[in-house]
Amino acid sequence: MLRILSLINKRFSTTAIGCYVDTASPRTLPDLGSSNITSLEDCAQACHDAGDLGTAGAENGDECWCSGQAGGVGVT
């Protein structure tokens, strides 16, 4: 289960948009932002710092996945 945040504005702010089912191929969020996060906010920051300004998601407790596209993704 992938917990998703939407990244908004130039200086990021976050909005939780829900939990989604993820698949290994293709990934719901394609870019690995970090494999050592401790919070959703850390994930949002890692994606923002990497230039992915659309969507951030945490999975498996410490994985952070990112996308440059904003909005809902995957299957709820």
Side-chain angles (χ1 to χ4, degrees):
M1 191 64 66
L2 187 64
R3 294 180 65 197
I4 304 286
L5 293 173
S6 180
L7 306 178
I8 304 168
N9 299 330
K10 290 180 183 173
R11 296 195 87 220
F12 84 92
S13 64
T14 61
T15 302
I17 59 173
C19 295
Y20 293 80
V21 175
D22 191 19
T23 60
S25 181
R27 299 285 322 192
T28 300
L29 300 175
D31 304 325
L32 180 62
S34 175
S35 59
N36 190 26
I37 61 159
T38 57
S39 70
L40 292 174
E41 290 76 16
D42 287 349
C43 180
Q45 185 67 56
C47 290
H48 184 268
D49 292 349
D52 281 319
L53 303 179
T55 308
E59 185 173 31
N60 298 326
D62 64 353
E63 293 178 7
C64 174
W65 293 87
C66 312
S67 172
Q69 297 182 15
V73 295
V75 178
T76 57

